[in-house]
Amino acid sequence: MNRLKKKWQKKLEKIIKDDKRILTDSADLLSYGFDGSFGQYKPERVVQPVNREEVAAVMKLANKYSIPVYPRGQATCLSGGPLPVKGGIVLDTCHMTGQLSIDSENLTAVVSPGILTSKIKEAAEEKGFFYPPDPSSAHVSTIGGNVAENSGGPRGLKYGVTGNYVLGLEVVTPEGEIIYTGGQTIKNVTGYNLTQLLVGSEGTLGVITEITLRLVPKPKKRVSILSVFDDLVDSGRAISGVLSAGIMPSAMEIIDKHCINAVENYKPAGYPTDAAAIILIELDGHPKAIEEESVQVTDICKELGARTVQSAVDEEDQKSLWEARKLVSPAIAKIKPTKISEDATVPRSKIPEMFERLNKIREKYNIELVVFGHAGDGNLHPNILTDKRDTEEMKCVELAVSEIFEAAIDLGGTLSGEHGIGTMKTPFMEKELGSAGLEMMKRVKESWDPNNIMNPGKIFPEKGQTKLVLTE
Amino acid sequence: MNRLKKKWQKKLEKIIKDDKRILTDSADLLSYGFDGSFGQYKPERVVQPVNREEVAAVMKLANKYSIPVYPRGQATCLSGGPLPVKGGIVLDTCHMTGQLSIDSENLTAVVSPGILTSKIKEAAEEKGFFYPPDPSSAHVSTIGGNVAENSGGPRGLKYGVTGNYVLGLEVVTPEGEIIYTGGQTIKNVTGYNLTQLLVGSEGTLGVITEITLRLVPKPKKRVSILSVFDDLVDSGRAISGVLSAGIMPSAMEIIDKHCINAVENYKPAGYPTDAAAIILIELDGHPKAIEEESVQVTDICKELGARTVQSAVDEEDQKSLWEARKLVSPAIAKIKPTKISEDATVPRSKIPEMFERLNKIREKYNIELVVFGHAGDGNLHPNILTDKRDTEEMKCVELAVSEIFEAAIDLGGTLSGEHGIGTMKTPFMEKELGSAGLEMMKRVKESWDPNNIMNPGKIFPEKGQTKLVLTE
């Protein structure tokens, strides 16, 4: 360790005075070196600030000594966002939990970044409100992480994603200044929309220290409908059919036969193992509207070839339908030791074509590729099940994943619908954005973070990084 | 004219070969020198490109010779956005009208910037869809201008503003590169959200040459309800009452007694001239839900002191109610020759307090100050009626407008809800954003437009510009 380094580490101890909140032990450091994606790194320090002032002081210090800082929530990230790829400091925001207040008059919430998203949902519901974004990780992930990654979930179609509910932010800049963006009002055109620039910027432009969220009135009623199809193409037509009828479901999920079987092997939910696909639809809104729409949805699905259509009105019955959906991810993780979860997103009308492309990729590389996801908004989750110790197969997986990205871009879609770019998708950025588009993004980064200390190695490809590498 | 200037003007003629699309005549130049706000300027050239390539070539040329360029739609802007304050080139996008296509499968529209917003609404409705943003100028303003200014309107409360419907953009950068941001999908987290950075950037970061919009299914039914109040505070409580009941109207407008009287003097609509305020509410959605909610809204308004509550179900009746609302702006413009229209926005719960502050300002400066606006989302329109030739009174108006801005910021609101900063509100930017916040905005501008040629003089205060000056 050189002398300069020692200096910043000593100074760090003056900022975070409680030594329990600076981790230096090797085991501790390693436990902050991974997320839900690939790779294992070791930072030099982990700090756990409890307020904006500590965050600002850490950033000022890091900027002065050019030490990389990686903000991190619960690290459920699937794209490598919080990975400390270049050493330095992991800034754990999970201890910033002081604020969770619901403003019933203005239908807003002000929250600290370390609050779990599910806690916000609960607090809102208690007062008769609804916070719609529902990433599958909501019960373990923090709102700070959700905002940094612009997390999605099944409700994107009708309600949008996390960013659609962020009205304002308090942020510490890479140089340690505290700034406020947006505010408490739905309408705000005072200068550039820095709020939405920061949402989804994956911690590369600053550390989020407080968030103002918009809430909506709680829907009066929900109904869930399960449709079983013997043909994948029919299920795709049913999705279009429902939307063309002017119905806007609050969620519309598709689960393919591979995933159905995985769930039934893992924890039987009563899904038909011989079906080609299942569509799970949630309708919400006024009871009378829902009643009528659920009849319409049932009719449309039957007309378009559904083998069975079953609807659940009772809250418990609905819950169990959706619990089975939430089991898909853990269930498929049991098939093989390594699960690579993608989130390539295409315009909704291209879903059948995307399915065909995925079939071809599965055959070409002879890999275990299963698909589920948010069919209503075109956000599919192709998952490849493999074993990262099998370097031979991993080479095929790398090529397959690259082809998935290319297929999404070819079909007018995007590399990432809700997981972010992180470390994994950086080589494909230029293909989607073009060199001029990527250059304009980079200019923002460079102007905000001239020393490149704020979560370096994310979003932007490193020099010479032209293809996906999953083997370590 | 120096030789250098002559050179760029000659080169411009090689880019826009049709000489009818380069205006040089003094009268023409002057007619492109104003908008819906204050001030009159004279550009050196007006160009009317018809495609992205011409725009890119104009920008490359302007960047090379450091000539300011001001993108402009129909110039209905109320904050000075398109004003050619530093000479140079006005880039009129009204001739870029080639594209207006609705994608029924994906519920999207791709449009050229010169298309009138009302045309998009109509095209969407023909296919059973709905484009919700509805600035009062929709029948004369272009979508390019709406996107650049992030235009609002009455439907912000339930549906959000223009930006909430922009999925992707084609943009020519200040240096003449063509870039694409976002795309066709609702979910897109591929790098920074440049789309929302550009929306509302008032033409200071680039020229918008194509827009991909999100549409929603057309609501099955609408009902409008007019409630008359003898007390302004009661009307404020009624607004809160409706929202607290879990009802989300598609619009909720307030019109004060001064505006009521102006409308009745201008073109009688049958509004009660002795009322303190009128609330106009629109509900939309499923017929059965609307039926029930309109009874609820009527009951709530009556309980909270409404003198009368009248609802209109018939489309024609609804139209006439809303036409009267749209007359407010032209009606009050008849009171005195100069109308200064503000859009200070506060958290909804602060509306009664904002009304009090406005009353005090009216008395203090003895000015004609009337108020109407989008009560549901806290976006009020205090309008000052004056005569700009009366320099004595204009000094009072300047102070009064400044105090309106300060009141909005004090109450946790924002300088501008939907009109933009333009030239008028620049001196107040630092007060709302702080110096660090403003600095981070400026860094984006400087990194994208190093020669400061893209709509200079807007959003950011000039050196030493610390107060509002309306007198010329």
Side-chain angles (χ1 to χ4, degrees):
Chain A
M1 190 184 294
N2 64 40
R3 265 185 54 217
L4 200 67
K5 272 199 178 165
K6 274 189 188 149
K7 206 166 174 188
W8 71 259
Q9 290 172 356
K10 264 190 196 151
K11 286 199 173 175
L12 199 58
E13 284 159 24
K14 287 196 180 146
I15 295 167
I16 311 284
K17 283 176 185 139
D18 174 3
D19 61 9
K20 286 196 198 99
R21 295 195 283 110
I22 302 189
L23 312 185
T24 56
D25 192 71
S26 194
D28 285 340
L29 296 177
L30 276 172
S31 74
Y32 280 82
F34 59 89
D35 69 354
S37 73
F38 265 78
Q40 167 76 54
Y41 302 85
K42 193 177 169 185
E44 288 153 274
R45 288 289 180 272
V46 173
V47 294
Q48 300 175 327
V50 291
N51 57 45
R52 66 181 69 85
E53 290 76 20
E54 284 186 348
V55 174
V58 169
M59 289 314 306
K60 272 194 189 350
L61 176 73
N63 188 53
K64 188 174 170 190
Y65 290 91
S66 286
I67 310 302
V69 178
Y70 313 90
R72 171 188 153 122
Q74 289 279 22
T76 55
C77 187
L78 293 168
S79 60
L83 297 178
V85 293
K86 293 175 189 291
I89 302 167
V90 167
L91 192 151
D92 175 9
T93 60
C94 291
H95 294 246
M96 296 181 74
T97 54
Q99 176 91 319
L100 169 51
S101 59
I102 308 286
D103 180 339
S104 298
E105 273 192 285
N106 292 308
L107 269 75
T108 54
V110 177
V111 298
S112 298
I115 300 277
L116 295 188
T117 303
S118 57
K119 296 284 170 205
I120 298 168
K121 281 183 173 304
E122 283 164 22
E125 295 225 345
E126 265 171 34
K127 301 220 170 171
F129 303 126
F130 180 39
Y131 173 69
D134 59 344
S136 293
S137 61
H139 58 296
V140 285
S141 61
T142 64
I143 187 68
N146 286 186
V147 172
E149 297 288 332
N150 197 9
S151 303
R155 296 213 173 95
L157 170 64
K158 177 170 178 176
Y159 287 103
V161 294
T162 302
N164 298 108
Y165 295 84
V166 181
L167 294 176
L169 292 173
E170 177 188 86
V171 172
V172 175
T173 70
E175 291 161 310
E177 298 295 331
I178 299 169
I179 66 168
Y180 304 88
T181 74
Q184 299 174 64
T185 59
I186 292 167
K187 289 179 173 171
N188 181 321
V189 292
T190 297
Y192 302 153
N193 192 340
L194 297 187
T195 307
Q196 296 303 325
L197 174 65
L198 286 155
V199 169
S201 66
E202 307 188 13
T204 64
L205 295 177
V207 185
I208 296 162
T209 51
E210 196 172 276
I211 304 138
T212 302
L213 296 168
R214 178 171 73 92
L215 303 174
V216 296
K218 192 174 161 182
K220 293 195 176 74
K221 196 177 176 179
R222 286 194 183 108
V223 171
S224 295
I225 298 166
L226 178 80
S227 298
V228 177
F229 290 85
D230 289 324
D231 186 293
L232 195 62
V233 176
D234 285 348
S235 72
R237 284 168 51 215
I239 291 164
S240 291
V242 168
L243 292 165
S244 306
I247 296 167
M248 189 57 98
S250 46
M252 180 140 59
E253 298 285 302
I254 191 162
I255 307 171
D256 80 353
K257 63 180 173 191
H258 308 283
C259 295
I260 295 170
N261 281 288
V263 170
E264 290 305 308
N265 285 332
Y266 177 62
K267 197 175 163 189
Y271 281 176
T273 52
D274 59 338
I278 279 173
I279 301 179
L280 193 52
I281 295 173
E282 184 194 76
L283 299 167
D284 72 1
H286 192 278
K288 285 177 181 167
I290 294 315
E291 204 176 294
E292 200 179 293
E293 286 180 354
S294 68
V295 173
Q296 271 182 284
V297 168
T298 303
D299 290 349
I300 292 167
C301 288
K302 280 186 179 162
E303 256 167 51
L304 294 171
R307 182 207 294 183
T308 58
V309 182
Q310 165 198 350
S311 64
V313 179
D314 182 78
E315 210 164 299
E316 280 307 305
D317 293 345
Q318 292 193 65
K319 220 173 154 186
S320 74
L321 279 185
W322 285 96
E323 261 167 20
R325 159 66 184 85
K326 286 193 172 162
L327 287 179
V328 170
S329 198
I332 59 176
K334 296 285 167 191
I335 298 177
K336 281 194 169 187
T338 306
K339 175 168 91 82
I340 296 165
S341 174
E342 279 316 324
D343 65 328
T345 302
V346 294
R348 189 166 48 229
S349 64
K350 302 287 185 186
I351 286 184
E353 231 171 299
M354 188 65 183
F355 272 119
E356 274 171 38
R357 297 281 284 257
L358 292 172
N359 274 339
K360 279 182 193 157
I361 295 169
R362 183 190 292 115
E363 283 162 23
K364 181 172 172 187
Y365 295 105
N366 188 27
I367 46 167
E368 205 131 1
L369 171 62
V370 304
V371 186
F372 64 97
H374 319 307
D377 58 25
N379 177 202
L380 296 177
H381 289 309
N383 273 251
I384 297 176
L385 308 164
T386 180
D387 184 341
K388 66 178 174 182
R389 293 160 302 186
D390 181 347
T391 47
E392 201 68 11
E393 183 164 293
M394 286 305 278
K395 294 282 172 213
C396 287
V397 171
E398 282 171 3
L399 295 170
V401 172
S402 304
E403 283 197 29
I404 293 173
F405 294 156
E406 277 160 22
I409 296 173
D410 283 354
L411 296 175
T414 184
L415 276 178
S416 180
E418 56 182 19
H419 293 171
I421 300 302
T423 52
M424 271 182 74
K425 298 180 189 175
T426 55
F428 303 89
M429 287 292 277
E430 192 168 325
K431 188 168 163 76
E432 179 168 337
L433 298 165
S435 61
L438 187 56
E439 159 69 15
M440 296 319 269
M441 270 189 199
K442 217 184 275 174
R443 287 195 193 180
V444 175
K445 167 68 174 169
E446 286 166 358
S447 74
W448 276 49
D449 180 19
N451 295 318
N452 194 30
I453 57 155
M454 195 82 251
N455 207 8
K458 314 299 160 68
I459 296 183
F460 302 101
E462 305 271 318
K463 224 175 163 178
Q465 199 188 5
T466 56
K467 63 187 192 105
L468 178 72
V469 180
L470 294 174
T471 42
E472 283 155 60
Chain B
M1 191 184 293
N2 65 38
R3 268 183 52 216
L4 201 66
K5 271 199 180 169
K6 275 189 188 150
K7 206 164 174 188
W8 72 258
Q9 291 173 356
K10 267 191 193 149
K11 288 201 171 173
L12 199 57
E13 285 158 25
K14 289 197 177 143
I15 295 167
I16 310 283
K17 283 174 185 144
D18 174 3
D19 62 7
K20 286 197 198 100
R21 297 194 282 111
I22 301 189
L23 312 185
T24 56
D25 192 72
S26 193
D28 284 340
L29 295 176
L30 277 171
S31 74
Y32 280 81
F34 58 91
D35 68 355
S37 73
F38 266 79
Q40 167 76 55
Y41 302 85
K42 193 176 169 186
E44 287 153 273
R45 287 291 180 270
V46 173
V47 296
Q48 300 175 326
V50 290
N51 58 43
R52 65 181 70 85
E53 290 75 20
E54 286 186 347
V55 174
V58 169
M59 290 314 306
K60 272 194 192 346
L61 176 73
N63 188 52
K64 188 175 169 190
Y65 290 91
S66 287
I67 310 302
V69 178
Y70 313 89
R72 172 190 153 118
Q74 290 278 21
T76 54
C77 187
L78 294 168
S79 60
L83 296 178
V85 293
K86 292 174 188 293
I89 302 167
V90 166
L91 192 150
D92 175 10
T93 60
C94 291
H95 294 246
M96 297 182 73
T97 55
Q99 175 92 320
L100 170 51
S101 60
I102 307 285
D103 179 340
S104 299
E105 273 191 286
N106 292 309
L107 269 74
T108 55
V110 177
V111 299
S112 297
I115 301 276
L116 296 188
T117 304
S118 58
K119 297 283 170 206
I120 299 168
K121 281 182 172 303
E122 283 164 21
E125 295 224 346
E126 266 172 34
K127 302 220 169 173
F129 304 126
F130 179 39
Y131 173 69
D134 60 343
S136 293
S137 61
H139 58 295
V140 285
S141 61
T142 65
I143 187 68
N146 285 187
V147 172
E149 296 289 332
N150 197 9
S151 303
R155 295 211 173 98
L157 170 64
K158 178 172 178 176
Y159 287 104
V161 295
T162 301
N164 298 108
Y165 295 85
V166 182
L167 294 176
L169 294 172
E170 178 190 82
V171 173
V172 174
T173 70
E175 290 161 309
E177 299 293 332
I178 300 169
I179 65 168
Y180 304 88
T181 74
Q184 300 175 64
T185 59
I186 292 167
K187 288 178 173 172
N188 181 320
V189 292
T190 297
Y192 301 153
N193 192 339
L194 297 186
T195 307
Q196 296 302 325
L197 174 66
L198 286 154
V199 169
S201 66
E202 306 188 15
T204 63
L205 296 177
V207 184
I208 296 163
T209 52
E210 196 173 275
I211 303 138
T212 303
L213 296 169
R214 178 170 73 92
L215 304 173
V216 296
K218 192 173 160 184
K220 294 196 176 73
K221 195 176 176 181
R222 286 195 183 105
V223 171
S224 295
I225 297 165
L226 179 79
S227 299
V228 177
F229 289 85
D230 290 324
D231 185 294
L232 196 62
V233 176
D234 286 348
S235 71
R237 284 167 52 213
I239 290 165
S240 291
V242 169
L243 293 165
S244 305
I247 297 166
M248 188 59 96
S250 46
M252 180 140 59
E253 298 286 302
I254 193 162
I255 307 171
D256 81 350
K257 62 180 174 193
H258 308 284
C259 296
I260 295 169
N261 281 288
V263 170
E264 290 306 308
N265 286 333
Y266 176 60
K267 196 174 163 190
Y271 281 177
T273 51
D274 60 336
I278 278 173
I279 301 180
L280 193 52
I281 296 173
E282 184 194 74
L283 299 167
D284 72 2
H286 191 280
K288 286 178 181 166
I290 294 314
E291 205 176 294
E292 199 179 294
E293 286 180 355
S294 69
V295 172
Q296 270 183 285
V297 168
T298 304
D299 290 349
I300 292 167
C301 288
K302 280 186 178 161
E303 255 167 51
L304 293 172
R307 182 207 294 182
T308 59
V309 183
Q310 168 198 350
S311 64
V313 179
D314 182 77
E315 210 165 299
E316 280 307 304
D317 293 346
Q318 290 194 65
K319 220 173 155 186
S320 74
L321 278 186
W322 284 95
E323 261 166 20
R325 159 66 185 83
K326 285 191 174 163
L327 286 179
V328 170
S329 197
I332 59 175
K334 297 284 166 193
I335 298 176
K336 282 195 168 184
T338 306
K339 174 168 92 82
I340 296 164
S341 174
E342 280 314 323
D343 65 328
T345 301
V346 294
R348 188 165 49 230
S349 63
K350 302 287 185 186
I351 287 183
E353 232 170 299
M354 188 65 181
F355 272 119
E356 273 171 39
R357 297 280 286 257
L358 292 171
N359 275 339
K360 279 183 192 157
I361 294 169
R362 182 190 292 115
E363 281 163 25
K364 182 173 171 185
Y365 294 105
N366 189 27
I367 47 168
E368 206 131 357
L369 172 62
V370 304
V371 187
F372 64 97
H374 320 308
D377 58 26
N379 177 202
L380 296 177
H381 289 310
N383 273 253
I384 297 175
L385 308 163
T386 180
D387 184 341
K388 65 178 174 183
R389 294 161 300 188
D390 181 347
T391 46
E392 201 69 10
E393 184 164 292
M394 285 305 278
K395 295 281 172 212
C396 287
V397 170
E398 282 170 3
L399 294 170
V401 171
S402 305
E403 283 196 29
I404 293 173
F405 294 156
E406 277 159 24
I409 296 173
D410 283 354
L411 296 174
T414 184
L415 276 176
S416 180
E418 57 182 17
H419 293 172
I421 300 302
T423 53
M424 271 182 74
K425 298 180 188 176
T426 55
F428 303 89
M429 287 292 277
E430 191 169 325
K431 188 168 163 77
E432 179 167 338
L433 298 166
S435 61
L438 187 57
E439 159 70 16
M440 296 320 269
M441 271 190 198
K442 216 184 276 173
R443 286 195 193 180
V444 174
K445 167 69 174 168
E446 287 166 357
S447 73
W448 276 48
D449 181 18
N451 295 318
N452 195 27
I453 58 155
M454 195 82 252
N455 207 8
K458 316 297 160 67
I459 297 182
F460 302 101
E462 306 270 319
K463 226 176 162 178
Q465 200 189 5
T466 55
K467 64 187 192 104
L468 178 74
V469 180
L470 294 174
T471 42
E472 284 155 58

